[in-house]
PDB file of all heavy atoms in Angstrom:
ATOM      1  N   ALA A 188      97.714  98.847 104.836  1.00  0.00           N
ATOM      2  CA  ALA A 188      97.221  97.475 104.669  1.00  0.00           C
ATOM      3  C   ALA A 188      98.443  96.621 104.360  1.00  0.00           C
ATOM      4  O   ALA A 188      99.297  97.018 103.554  1.00  0.00           O
ATOM      5  CB  ALA A 188      96.206  97.410 103.527  1.00  0.00           C
ATOM      6  N   MET A 190     100.200  93.269 102.908  1.00  0.00           N
ATOM      7  CA  MET A 190     100.034  92.132 102.008  1.00  0.00           C
ATOM      8  C   MET A 190     100.471  90.844 102.707  1.00  0.00           C
ATOM      9  O   MET A 190     101.441  90.840 103.479  1.00  0.00           O
ATOM     10  CB  MET A 190     100.882  92.334 100.736  1.00  0.00           C
ATOM     11  CG  MET A 190     100.654  91.281  99.680  1.00  0.00           C
ATOM     12  SD  MET A 190     101.685  91.541  98.215  1.00  0.00           S
ATOM     13  CE  MET A 190     103.176  90.668  98.724  1.00  0.00           C
ATOM     14  N   ILE A 207     101.845 104.038  93.166  1.00  0.00           N
ATOM     15  CA  ILE A 207     101.495 102.801  92.462  1.00  0.00           C
ATOM     16  C   ILE A 207     101.061 103.075  91.027  1.00  0.00           C
ATOM     17  O   ILE A 207     100.218 103.930  90.769  1.00  0.00           O
ATOM     18  CB  ILE A 207     100.362 102.064  93.203  1.00  0.00           C
ATOM     19  CG1 ILE A 207     100.824 101.624  94.598  1.00  0.00           C
ATOM     20  CG2 ILE A 207      99.837 100.885  92.392  1.00  0.00           C
ATOM     21  CD1 ILE A 207      99.700 101.097  95.485  1.00  0.00           C
ATOM     22  N   VAL A 208     101.656 102.310  90.112  1.00  0.00           N
ATOM     23  CA  VAL A 208     101.203 102.171  88.728  1.00  0.00           C
ATOM     24  C   VAL A 208     100.927 100.679  88.572  1.00  0.00           C
ATOM     25  O   VAL A 208     101.723  99.861  89.026  1.00  0.00           O
ATOM     26  CB  VAL A 208     102.294 102.621  87.725  1.00  0.00           C
ATOM     27  CG1 VAL A 208     101.859 102.364  86.293  1.00  0.00           C
ATOM     28  CG2 VAL A 208     102.645 104.082  87.934  1.00  0.00           C
ATOM     29  N   THR A 209      99.812 100.290  87.971  1.00  0.00           N
ATOM     30  CA  THR A 209      99.497  98.859  87.894  1.00  0.00           C
ATOM     31  C   THR A 209      99.438  98.339  86.467  1.00  0.00           C
ATOM     32  O   THR A 209      99.097  99.061  85.531  1.00  0.00           O
ATOM     33  CB  THR A 209      98.148  98.525  88.567  1.00  0.00           C
ATOM     34  OG1 THR A 209      97.093  99.134  87.832  1.00  0.00           O
ATOM     35  CG2 THR A 209      98.120  98.968  90.015  1.00  0.00           C
ATOM     36  N   VAL A 210      99.769  97.058  86.360  1.00  0.00           N
ATOM     37  CA  VAL A 210      99.589  96.283  85.137  1.00  0.00           C
ATOM     38  C   VAL A 210      98.965  94.956  85.549  1.00  0.00           C
ATOM     39  O   VAL A 210      99.411  94.332  86.512  1.00  0.00           O
ATOM     40  CB  VAL A 210     100.930  96.015  84.410  1.00  0.00           C
ATOM     41  CG1 VAL A 210     100.776  94.946  83.343  1.00  0.00           C
ATOM     42  CG2 VAL A 210     101.480  97.290  83.800  1.00  0.00           C
ATOM     43  N   LYS A 211      97.941  94.547  84.830  1.00  0.00           N
ATOM     44  CA  LYS A 211      97.368  93.215  85.024  1.00  0.00           C
ATOM     45  C   LYS A 211      97.600  92.449  83.724  1.00  0.00           C
ATOM     46  O   LYS A 211      97.193  92.896  82.641  1.00  0.00           O
ATOM     47  CB  LYS A 211      95.876  93.292  85.342  1.00  0.00           C
ATOM     48  CG  LYS A 211      95.274  91.925  85.634  1.00  0.00           C
ATOM     49  CD  LYS A 211      93.859  92.027  86.160  1.00  0.00           C
ATOM     50  CE  LYS A 211      93.363  90.616  86.452  1.00  0.00           C
ATOM     51  NZ  LYS A 211      92.436  90.589  87.566  1.00  0.00           N
ATOM     52  N   CYS A 212      98.282  91.322  83.825  1.00  0.00           N
ATOM     53  CA  CYS A 212      98.618  90.538  82.627  1.00  0.00           C
ATOM     54  C   CYS A 212      98.809  89.085  83.036  1.00  0.00           C
ATOM     55  O   CYS A 212      99.000  88.781  84.205  1.00  0.00           O
ATOM     56  CB  CYS A 212      99.884  91.080  81.970  1.00  0.00           C
ATOM     57  SG  CYS A 212     101.334  91.090  83.056  1.00  0.00           S
ATOM     58  N   PHE A 213      98.762  88.199  82.069  1.00  0.00           N
ATOM     59  CA  PHE A 213      98.974  86.786  82.362  1.00  0.00           C
ATOM     60  C   PHE A 213      99.883  86.192  81.291  1.00  0.00           C
ATOM     61  O   PHE A 213      99.500  86.092  80.121  1.00  0.00           O
ATOM     62  CB  PHE A 213      97.641  86.025  82.417  1.00  0.00           C
ATOM     63  CG  PHE A 213      97.796  84.620  82.903  1.00  0.00           C
ATOM     64  CD1 PHE A 213      98.016  84.362  84.247  1.00  0.00           C
ATOM     65  CD2 PHE A 213      97.760  83.557  82.021  1.00  0.00           C
ATOM     66  CE1 PHE A 213      98.181  83.056  84.711  1.00  0.00           C
ATOM     67  CE2 PHE A 213      97.922  82.247  82.478  1.00  0.00           C
ATOM     68  CZ  PHE A 213      98.135  82.005  83.830  1.00  0.00           C
ATOM     69  N   LEU A 218     102.986  94.893  78.443  1.00  0.00           N
ATOM     70  CA  LEU A 218     102.709  96.143  79.154  1.00  0.00           C
ATOM     71  C   LEU A 218     103.749  96.435  80.235  1.00  0.00           C
ATOM     72  O   LEU A 218     104.045  97.606  80.502  1.00  0.00           O
ATOM     73  CB  LEU A 218     101.309  96.116  79.769  1.00  0.00           C
ATOM     74  CG  LEU A 218     100.137  96.281  78.806  1.00  0.00           C
ATOM     75  CD1 LEU A 218      98.813  96.240  79.563  1.00  0.00           C
ATOM     76  CD2 LEU A 218     100.252  97.565  78.012  1.00  0.00           C
ATOM     77  N   VAL A 231     106.309 102.943  91.660  1.00  0.00           N
ATOM     78  CA  VAL A 231     106.516 101.494  91.762  1.00  0.00           C
ATOM     79  C   VAL A 231     105.492 100.828  90.856  1.00  0.00           C
ATOM     80  O   VAL A 231     104.297 101.114  90.953  1.00  0.00           O
ATOM     81  CB  VAL A 231     106.343 100.998  93.213  1.00  0.00           C
ATOM     82  CG1 VAL A 231     106.408  99.475  93.287  1.00  0.00           C
ATOM     83  CG2 VAL A 231     107.381 101.635  94.137  1.00  0.00           C
ATOM     84  N   LEU A 232     105.959  99.942  89.987  1.00  0.00           N
ATOM     85  CA  LEU A 232     105.052  99.183  89.130  1.00  0.00           C
ATOM     86  C   LEU A 232     104.601  97.938  89.884  1.00  0.00           C
ATOM     87  O   LEU A 232     105.423  97.145  90.335  1.00  0.00           O
ATOM     88  CB  LEU A 232     105.728  98.785  87.822  1.00  0.00           C
ATOM     89  CG  LEU A 232     104.817  98.116  86.793  1.00  0.00           C
ATOM     90  CD1 LEU A 232     103.734  99.084  86.305  1.00  0.00           C
ATOM     91  CD2 LEU A 232     105.611  97.578  85.615  1.00  0.00           C
ATOM     92  N   VAL A 233     103.284  97.790  90.035  1.00  0.00           N
ATOM     93  CA  VAL A 233     102.698  96.619  90.681  1.00  0.00           C
ATOM     94  C   VAL A 233     102.060  95.791  89.580  1.00  0.00           C
ATOM     95  O   VAL A 233     101.175  96.262  88.866  1.00  0.00           O
ATOM     96  CB  VAL A 233     101.657  97.019  91.747  1.00  0.00           C
ATOM     97  CG1 VAL A 233     100.999  95.783  92.338  1.00  0.00           C
ATOM     98  CG2 VAL A 233     102.316  97.848  92.843  1.00  0.00           C
ATOM     99  N   VAL A 234     102.533  94.551  89.429  1.00  0.00           N
ATOM    100  CA  VAL A 234     102.113  93.680  88.336  1.00  0.00           C
ATOM    101  C   VAL A 234     101.327  92.500  88.884  1.00  0.00           C
ATOM    102  O   VAL A 234     101.856  91.693  89.644  1.00  0.00           O
ATOM    103  CB  VAL A 234     103.327  93.164  87.532  1.00  0.00           C
ATOM    104  CG1 VAL A 234     102.879  92.286  86.380  1.00  0.00           C
ATOM    105  CG2 VAL A 234     104.191  94.318  87.041  1.00  0.00           C
ATOM    106  N   ASP A 235     100.054  92.404  88.492  1.00  0.00           N
ATOM    107  CA  ASP A 235      99.246  91.240  88.833  1.00  0.00           C
ATOM    108  C   ASP A 235      99.386  90.254  87.690  1.00  0.00           C
ATOM    109  O   ASP A 235      98.735  90.356  86.663  1.00  0.00           O
ATOM    110  CB  ASP A 235      97.782  91.640  89.022  1.00  0.00           C
ATOM    111  CG  ASP A 235      96.890  90.455  89.386  1.00  0.00           C
ATOM    112  OD1 ASP A 235      97.367  89.294  89.332  1.00  0.00           O
ATOM    113  OD2 ASP A 235      95.715  90.690  89.706  1.00  0.00           O
ATOM    114  N   GLY A 236     100.285  89.302  87.874  1.00  0.00           N
ATOM    115  CA  GLY A 236     100.541  88.278  86.869  1.00  0.00           C
ATOM    116  C   GLY A 236      99.757  87.003  87.118  1.00  0.00           C
ATOM    117  O   GLY A 236     100.085  85.954  86.566  1.00  0.00           O
ATOM    118  N   GLY A 237      98.728  87.082  87.958  1.00  0.00           N
ATOM    119  CA  GLY A 237      97.897  85.913  88.214  1.00  0.00           C
ATOM    120  C   GLY A 237      98.624  84.782  88.914  1.00  0.00           C
ATOM    121  O   GLY A 237      98.194  83.633  88.870  1.00  0.00           O
ATOM    122  N   VAL A 262     106.753  95.305  92.070  1.00  0.00           N
ATOM    123  CA  VAL A 262     106.172  94.213  92.868  1.00  0.00           C
ATOM    124  C   VAL A 262     105.423  93.335  91.882  1.00  0.00           C
ATOM    125  O   VAL A 262     104.509  93.807  91.194  1.00  0.00           O
ATOM    126  CB  VAL A 262     105.217  94.744  93.953  1.00  0.00           C
ATOM    127  CG1 VAL A 262     104.553  93.585  94.698  1.00  0.00           C
ATOM    128  CG2 VAL A 262     105.955  95.672  94.917  1.00  0.00           C
ATOM    129  N   ILE A 263     105.824  92.063  91.785  1.00  0.00           N
ATOM    130  CA  ILE A 263     105.250  91.171  90.774  1.00  0.00           C
ATOM    131  C   ILE A 263     104.597  89.960  91.433  1.00  0.00           C
ATOM    132  O   ILE A 263     105.258  89.190  92.138  1.00  0.00           O
ATOM    133  CB  ILE A 263     106.329  90.701  89.772  1.00  0.00           C
ATOM    134  CG1 ILE A 263     106.921  91.914  89.039  1.00  0.00           C
ATOM    135  CG2 ILE A 263     105.759  89.685  88.787  1.00  0.00           C
ATOM    136  CD1 ILE A 263     108.010  91.583  88.045  1.00  0.00           C
ATOM    137  N   TYR A 264     103.295  89.814  91.169  1.00  0.00           N
ATOM    138  CA  TYR A 264     102.547  88.636  91.603  1.00  0.00           C
ATOM    139  C   TYR A 264     102.741  87.587  90.504  1.00  0.00           C
ATOM    140  O   TYR A 264     101.871  87.312  89.697  1.00  0.00           O
ATOM    141  CB  TYR A 264     101.078  89.012  91.789  1.00  0.00           C
ATOM    142  CG  TYR A 264     100.210  87.942  92.390  1.00  0.00           C
ATOM    143  CD1 TYR A 264     100.592  87.248  93.532  1.00  0.00           C
ATOM    144  CD2 TYR A 264      98.974  87.644  91.829  1.00  0.00           C
ATOM    145  CE1 TYR A 264      99.774  86.288  94.090  1.00  0.00           C
ATOM    146  CE2 TYR A 264      98.144  86.676  92.380  1.00  0.00           C
ATOM    147  CZ  TYR A 264      98.555  86.002  93.507  1.00  0.00           C
ATOM    148  OH  TYR A 264      97.731  85.044  94.054  1.00  0.00           O
ATOM    149  N   GLY A 296      96.767  92.676  78.203  1.00  0.00           N
ATOM    150  CA  GLY A 296      96.843  93.125  79.582  1.00  0.00           C
ATOM    151  C   GLY A 296      96.077  94.410  79.785  1.00  0.00           C
ATOM    152  O   GLY A 296      95.525  94.976  78.834  1.00  0.00           O
ATOM    153  N   GLN A 297      96.025  94.843  81.035  1.00  0.00           N
ATOM    154  CA  GLN A 297      95.310  96.067  81.397  1.00  0.00           C
ATOM    155  C   GLN A 297      96.236  96.958  82.209  1.00  0.00           C
ATOM    156  O   GLN A 297      97.036  96.468  83.009  1.00  0.00           O
ATOM    157  CB  GLN A 297      94.065  95.728  82.210  1.00  0.00           C
ATOM    158  CG  GLN A 297      93.026  94.937  81.431  1.00  0.00           C
ATOM    159  CD  GLN A 297      91.918  94.469  82.353  1.00  0.00           C
ATOM    160  OE1 GLN A 297      92.092  93.539  83.120  1.00  0.00           O
ATOM    161  NE2 GLN A 297      90.777  95.147  82.283  1.00  0.00           N
ATOM    162  N   LEU A 298      96.083  98.259  82.009  1.00  0.00           N
ATOM    163  CA  LEU A 298      96.957  99.235  82.651  1.00  0.00           C
ATOM    164  C   LEU A 298      96.159 100.129  83.589  1.00  0.00           C
ATOM    165  O   LEU A 298      95.047 100.569  83.256  1.00  0.00           O
ATOM    166  CB  LEU A 298      97.622 100.081  81.556  1.00  0.00           C
ATOM    167  CG  LEU A 298      98.572 101.182  81.998  1.00  0.00           C
ATOM    168  CD1 LEU A 298      99.776 100.601  82.728  1.00  0.00           C
ATOM    169  CD2 LEU A 298      99.026 101.984  80.782  1.00  0.00           C
ATOM    170  N   ASN A 299      96.759 100.381  84.768  1.00  0.00           N
ATOM    171  CA  ASN A 299      96.205 101.315  85.748  1.00  0.00           C
ATOM    172  C   ASN A 299      94.762 101.046  86.138  1.00  0.00           C
ATOM    173  O   ASN A 299      93.907 101.923  86.105  1.00  0.00           O
ATOM    174  CB  ASN A 299      96.407 102.763  85.285  1.00  0.00           C
ATOM    175  CG  ASN A 299      97.800 103.229  85.639  1.00  0.00           C
ATOM    176  OD1 ASN A 299      98.383 102.796  86.630  1.00  0.00           O
ATOM    177  ND2 ASN A 299      98.349 104.091  84.822  1.00  0.00           N
ATOM    178  N   ILE A 300      94.527  99.788  86.522  1.00  0.00           N
ATOM    179  CA  ILE A 300      93.258  99.395  87.127  1.00  0.00           C
ATOM    180  C   ILE A 300      93.587  98.872  88.534  1.00  0.00           C
ATOM    181  O   ILE A 300      94.712  98.419  88.777  1.00  0.00           O
ATOM    182  CB  ILE A 300      92.535  98.298  86.310  1.00  0.00           C
ATOM    183  CG1 ILE A 300      93.390  97.018  86.241  1.00  0.00           C
ATOM    184  CG2 ILE A 300      92.177  98.806  84.921  1.00  0.00           C
ATOM    185  CD1 ILE A 300      92.637  95.796  85.771  1.00  0.00           C
ATOM    186  N   PRO A 301      92.667  98.930  89.477  1.00  0.00           N
ATOM    187  CA  PRO A 301      92.937  98.318  90.778  1.00  0.00           C
ATOM    188  C   PRO A 301      93.178  96.812  90.614  1.00  0.00           C
ATOM    189  O   PRO A 301      92.463  96.150  89.850  1.00  0.00           O
ATOM    190  CB  PRO A 301      91.658  98.582  91.571  1.00  0.00           C
ATOM    191  CG  PRO A 301      91.034  99.766  90.907  1.00  0.00           C
ATOM    192  CD  PRO A 301      91.372  99.610  89.446  1.00  0.00           C
ATOM    193  N   VAL A 302      94.207  96.304  91.285  1.00  0.00           N
ATOM    194  CA  VAL A 302      94.497  94.866  91.264  1.00  0.00           C
ATOM    195  C   VAL A 302      94.568  94.381  92.706  1.00  0.00           C
ATOM    196  O   VAL A 302      95.022  95.111  93.593  1.00  0.00           O
ATOM    197  CB  VAL A 302      95.800  94.529  90.495  1.00  0.00           C
ATOM    198  CG1 VAL A 302      95.669  94.892  89.023  1.00  0.00           C
ATOM    199  CG2 VAL A 302      97.026  95.195  91.098  1.00  0.00           C
ATOM    200  N   THR A 303      94.098  93.168  92.929  1.00  0.00           N
ATOM    201  CA  THR A 303      94.066  92.609  94.276  1.00  0.00           C
ATOM    202  C   THR A 303      94.791  91.275  94.304  1.00  0.00           C
ATOM    203  O   THR A 303      94.515  90.390  93.499  1.00  0.00           O
ATOM    204  CB  THR A 303      92.606  92.419  94.741  1.00  0.00           C
ATOM    205  OG1 THR A 303      91.941  93.682  94.697  1.00  0.00           O
ATOM    206  CG2 THR A 303      92.553  91.869  96.158  1.00  0.00           C
ATOM    207  N   PHE A 304      95.729  91.169  95.227  1.00  0.00           N
ATOM    208  CA  PHE A 304      96.387  89.890  95.529  1.00  0.00           C
ATOM    209  C   PHE A 304      97.020  90.005  96.911  1.00  0.00           C
ATOM    210  O   PHE A 304      97.254  91.104  97.402  1.00  0.00           O
ATOM    211  CB  PHE A 304      97.409  89.481  94.449  1.00  0.00           C
ATOM    212  CG  PHE A 304      98.489  90.484  94.167  1.00  0.00           C
ATOM    213  CD1 PHE A 304      99.666  90.493  94.910  1.00  0.00           C
ATOM    214  CD2 PHE A 304      98.359  91.392  93.133  1.00  0.00           C
ATOM    215  CE1 PHE A 304     100.683  91.407  94.638  1.00  0.00           C
ATOM    216  CE2 PHE A 304      99.362  92.304  92.842  1.00  0.00           C
ATOM    217  CZ  PHE A 304     100.523  92.314  93.605  1.00  0.00           C
ATOM    218  N   GLY A 305      97.233  88.873  97.532  1.00  0.00           N
ATOM    219  CA  GLY A 305      97.826  88.880  98.862  1.00  0.00           C
ATOM    220  C   GLY A 305      96.975  89.577  99.909  1.00  0.00           C
ATOM    221  O   GLY A 305      97.497  90.071 100.907  1.00  0.00           O
ATOM    222  N   GLY A 306      95.654  89.650  99.663  1.00  0.00           N
ATOM    223  CA  GLY A 306      94.754  90.225 100.649  1.00  0.00           C
ATOM    224  C   GLY A 306      94.672  91.744 100.643  1.00  0.00           C
ATOM    225  O   GLY A 306      94.035  92.327 101.515  1.00  0.00           O
ATOM    226  N   VAL A 307      95.334  92.413  99.678  1.00  0.00           N
ATOM    227  CA  VAL A 307      95.250  93.873  99.592  1.00  0.00           C
ATOM    228  C   VAL A 307      94.944  94.289  98.152  1.00  0.00           C
ATOM    229  O   VAL A 307      95.227  93.553  97.207  1.00  0.00           O
ATOM    230  CB  VAL A 307      96.541  94.582 100.075  1.00  0.00           C
ATOM    231  CG1 VAL A 307      96.805  94.312 101.538  1.00  0.00           C
ATOM    232  CG2 VAL A 307      97.733  94.199  99.247  1.00  0.00           C
ATOM    233  N   THR A 308      94.372  95.466  98.013  1.00  0.00           N
ATOM    234  CA  THR A 308      94.102  96.037  96.695  1.00  0.00           C
ATOM    235  C   THR A 308      95.088  97.167  96.447  1.00  0.00           C
ATOM    236  O   THR A 308      95.262  98.045  97.291  1.00  0.00           O
ATOM    237  CB  THR A 308      92.658  96.552  96.600  1.00  0.00           C
ATOM    238  OG1 THR A 308      91.776  95.438  96.806  1.00  0.00           O
ATOM    239  CG2 THR A 308      92.373  97.166  95.239  1.00  0.00           C
ATOM    240  N   PHE A 309      95.752  97.088  95.312  1.00  0.00           N
ATOM    241  CA  PHE A 309      96.709  98.104  94.881  1.00  0.00           C
ATOM    242  C   PHE A 309      95.993  99.005  93.885  1.00  0.00           C
ATOM    243  O   PHE A 309      95.593  98.552  92.813  1.00  0.00           O
ATOM    244  CB  PHE A 309      97.919  97.451  94.206  1.00  0.00           C
ATOM    245  CG  PHE A 309      98.691  96.518  95.105  1.00  0.00           C
ATOM    246  CD1 PHE A 309      98.310  95.189  95.236  1.00  0.00           C
ATOM    247  CD2 PHE A 309      99.798  96.955  95.810  1.00  0.00           C
ATOM    248  CE1 PHE A 309      99.025  94.313  96.040  1.00  0.00           C
ATOM    249  CE2 PHE A 309     100.518  96.098  96.624  1.00  0.00           C
ATOM    250  CZ  PHE A 309     100.128  94.770  96.745  1.00  0.00           C
ATOM    251  N   LYS A 310      95.822 100.284  94.266  1.00  0.00           N
ATOM    252  CA  LYS A 310      95.099 101.222  93.409  1.00  0.00           C
ATOM    253  C   LYS A 310      96.081 102.233  92.829  1.00  0.00           C
ATOM    254  O   LYS A 310      96.882 102.818  93.577  1.00  0.00           O
ATOM    255  CB  LYS A 310      94.026 101.959  94.214  1.00  0.00           C
ATOM    256  CG  LYS A 310      92.946 101.049  94.757  1.00  0.00           C
ATOM    257  CD  LYS A 310      91.969 101.822  95.619  1.00  0.00           C
ATOM    258  CE  LYS A 310      90.957 100.870  96.243  1.00  0.00           C
ATOM    259  NZ  LYS A 310      90.159 101.552  97.268  1.00  0.00           N
ATOM    260  N   PRO A 311      96.005 102.463  91.517  1.00  0.00           N
ATOM    261  CA  PRO A 311      96.874 103.468  90.920  1.00  0.00           C
ATOM    262  C   PRO A 311      96.716 104.804  91.639  1.00  0.00           C
ATOM    263  O   PRO A 311      95.610 105.212  91.981  1.00  0.00           O
ATOM    264  CB  PRO A 311      96.367 103.562  89.473  1.00  0.00           C
ATOM    265  CG  PRO A 311      95.722 102.236  89.219  1.00  0.00           C
ATOM    266  CD  PRO A 311      95.119 101.828  90.537  1.00  0.00           C
ATOM    267  N   GLY A 312      97.861 105.438  91.900  1.00  0.00           N
ATOM    268  CA  GLY A 312      97.842 106.720  92.600  1.00  0.00           C
ATOM    269  C   GLY A 312      97.998 106.597  94.105  1.00  0.00           C
ATOM    270  O   GLY A 312      98.315 107.591  94.766  1.00  0.00           O
ATOM    271  N   GLU A 313      97.762 105.404  94.660  1.00  0.00           N
ATOM    272  CA  GLU A 313      98.051 105.191  96.078  1.00  0.00           C
ATOM    273  C   GLU A 313      99.539 104.839  96.201  1.00  0.00           C
ATOM    274  O   GLU A 313     100.285 104.970  95.231  1.00  0.00           O
ATOM    275  CB  GLU A 313      97.137 104.114  96.661  1.00  0.00           C
ATOM    276  CG  GLU A 313      95.690 104.585  96.712  1.00  0.00           C
ATOM    277  CD  GLU A 313      94.777 103.708  97.536  1.00  0.00           C
ATOM    278  OE1 GLU A 313      95.166 102.588  97.930  1.00  0.00           O
ATOM    279  OE2 GLU A 313      93.645 104.145  97.792  1.00  0.00           O
ATOM    280  N   VAL A 315     102.819 102.258  97.735  1.00  0.00           N
ATOM    281  CA  VAL A 315     103.270 100.947  98.186  1.00  0.00           C
ATOM    282  C   VAL A 315     104.690 101.094  98.726  1.00  0.00           C
ATOM    283  O   VAL A 315     105.482 101.901  98.213  1.00  0.00           O
ATOM    284  CB  VAL A 315     103.201  99.892  97.048  1.00  0.00           C
ATOM    285  CG1 VAL A 315     104.094 100.261  95.881  1.00  0.00           C
ATOM    286  CG2 VAL A 315     103.521  98.498  97.562  1.00  0.00           C
ATOM    287  N   VAL A 324     100.554  98.812 101.750  1.00  0.00           N
ATOM    288  CA  VAL A 324      99.890  99.775 100.873  1.00  0.00           C
ATOM    289  C   VAL A 324      99.257 100.861 101.737  1.00  0.00           C
ATOM    290  O   VAL A 324      98.745 100.582 102.829  1.00  0.00           O
ATOM    291  CB  VAL A 324      98.797  99.071 100.037  1.00  0.00           C
ATOM    292  CG1 VAL A 324      98.056 100.053  99.162  1.00  0.00           C
ATOM    293  CG2 VAL A 324      99.393  97.961  99.194  1.00  0.00           C
TER     294      VAL A 324
END
Side-chain angles (χ1 to χ4, degrees):
M190 186 181 87
I207 296 170
V208 175
T209 66
V210 166
K211 184 171 181 148
C212 58
F213 188 75
L218 286 180
V231 174
L232 186 65
V233 176
V234 181
D235 180 351
V262 176
I263 299 179
Y264 187 48
Q297 295 172 284
L298 179 63
N299 277 329
I300 62 165
V302 296
T303 302
F304 56 87
V307 297
T308 299
F309 299 86
K310 296 176 185 170
E313 292 192 349
V315 61
V324 178

